[in-house]
Structure formats: C-alpha cells, structure tokens
Amino acid sequence: MKTAILASLIASAAAFAPATTPATSTSLKVSEQEIGATAPLGFFDPLGYITDDETFERYRAVERKHGRIAMMAMLGTFVHNNKWTFDGYLSPSNNIKFTDIDSGIGGLFQVPAAGLAQIILVAGFIELTWWPASKLDGDYGVRLGKINNWEQEPGKEIRQKNAELNNGRAAMAAISGIFVQEVLTGQNLYEQATSGHWSPFGDGQGFF
C-alpha cells in the first residue's frame, strides 16, 4: 500500500505538465500542452522528467488515471464514513456483512482474499477490453448530452479536462493525507471531523 501511494504521488507530480519544453519537443498540439498547465504553477516539471512527446503523453495518462482512481476513493470515503453501505453479506461463506467492514483504510484488509482477487480481475478486464489503458488520451467516448458535447462546443473540452486533472490532483493529495491521518490518529475522516481532531499529534480531542 505504501508503495502504491508513493508511486501515485511521484507520477502525479511528474505529470503535472512540464515547465520547460526541450527544443526537440515541438509536435505536441498547443491544446494538449495547455491542458493541466493552470495557474499558479503553469507548465510544471521541476525535475525535468519530460524529455519528449511520448514521455509527456505517458505521464499525463498516468496522472489522469491515478486522479480518477483517487476521486473515486474520496467519494468512497465520504460514502462509507457516513455509514452508507449495501445490505446483506459481502462474503456469505465467511459470514461477513458489508456493515462489518471498517470505514477506514483498515477495512481493505478485512475483505477476504477471494474478494480482493475479484476486484483486481474485474478492474483488469475493464482495462483490457472496455476502457483499455493503452488509450493514453483517456477519452472513451462517454458523452452525457450537453454536459460534455465537445464536438458541438469545443470550448468545453479544455475547461472540463482542466477541471478533471485539477480535481484528480487534489483527490490524490487528499486520499494520501487521509491514509496518513488514519494511521497516525486511529480515526477515520468522519471521526476526526466530528471531534475537531485535525492535528495528528494530539490526543484525539480538539484541534490540537
């Protein structure tokens, strides 16, 4: 888990958008370079990871995917912390109900190994067949009427792609922070918020 978090942070930091474009990297469309290069950081690559078009495209795809996963993770955090769970059993054979699973990161380790394997298999199937990871632009043709009718209103595309990247970046930072807070305080996000416990170095009561 620590390795996965570290990898997602490194990928997201590297893929924010390059700060200085080498002379050899001139074939990228202007719109592609503009997407994600928002104030105040703009074109951001302090470690110089971006050396050519292919590297930029690959890192941007990694950032986008991790951002989408992190946004789903944050949504799941809000839902589960509020005790909104499915009825019935997560694992009838092990007599485990959905309500038996902790709402924090520890809940992941309460899911039976067979259940985790099913999650991984379904995710792999989706990536290989339905929404292939090899499609680096991340656009799988999902259109929701006028909400993202980019073909009819091209101006929406850059704005909405910027929003997705920036929300994904915020979600990656947030879910990583929540993991750290839960490990240090032993409280999930809801418990910390309701007790006013925002410092990981306090006693769990009050701001500090």
Side-chain angles (χ1 to χ4, degrees):
M1 179 59 67
K2 292 180 180 178
T3 302
I5 294 172
L6 180 61
S8 67
L9 289 174
I10 292 174
S12 62
F16 263 48
T20 307
T21 307
T24 56
S25 180
T26 57
S27 62
L28 283 173
K29 296 179 181 178
V30 174
S31 61
E32 292 177 352
Q33 293 189 13
E34 288 176 351
I35 294 171
T38 54
L41 297 178
F43 217 45
F44 186 73
D45 179 26
L47 299 180
Y49 279 111
I50 308 301
T51 56
D52 51 45
D53 296 1
E54 291 184 359
T55 303
F56 178 90
E57 186 178 22
R58 174 60 182 166
Y59 281 0
R60 173 50 52 81
V62 170
E63 178 189 26
R64 184 186 299 111
K65 178 188 289 187
H66 287 170
R68 289 172 175 174
I69 293 171
M71 286 188 281
M72 291 299 296
M74 285 303 303
L75 178 61
T77 296
F78 297 144
V79 169
H80 208 183
N81 279 189
N82 280 283
K83 307 298 182 182
W84 298 335
T85 60
F86 291 111
D87 293 328
Y89 287 85
L90 170 68
S91 175
S93 60
N94 291 308
N95 198 34
I96 299 176
K97 294 182 178 180
F98 286 103
T99 53
D100 294 332
I101 303 298
D102 291 341
S103 58
I105 183 61
L108 176 65
F109 305 101
Q110 295 174 330
V111 178
L116 293 176
Q118 290 174 39
I119 293 172
I120 294 172
L121 287 173
V122 170
F125 176 78
I126 291 174
E127 285 214 351
L128 291 173
T129 60
W130 189 12
W131 293 339
S134 58
K135 187 172 175 55
L136 297 183
D137 64 4
D139 183 2
Y140 297 106
V142 178
R143 297 293 182 266
L144 303 174
K146 292 184 178 180
I147 294 178
N148 62 338
N149 56 338
W150 297 343
E151 290 75 13
Q152 290 74 33
E153 299 183 60
K156 286 184 177 181
E157 182 174 0
I158 292 179
R159 179 174 62 81
Q160 292 179 345
K161 285 185 175 182
N162 274 330
E164 178 187 31
L165 284 171
N166 286 327
N167 288 339
R169 292 163 180 170
M172 285 188 280
I175 196 64
S176 298
I178 287 173
F179 288 165
V180 173
Q181 286 178 323
E182 287 185 3
V183 171
L184 290 178
T185 67
Q187 295 176 308
N188 63 33
L189 179 62
Y190 176 83
E191 292 166 341
Q192 292 175 48
T194 54
S195 65
H197 183 206
W198 296 109
S199 170
F201 307 108
D203 59 3
Q205 302 297 323
F207 194 87
F208 296 107

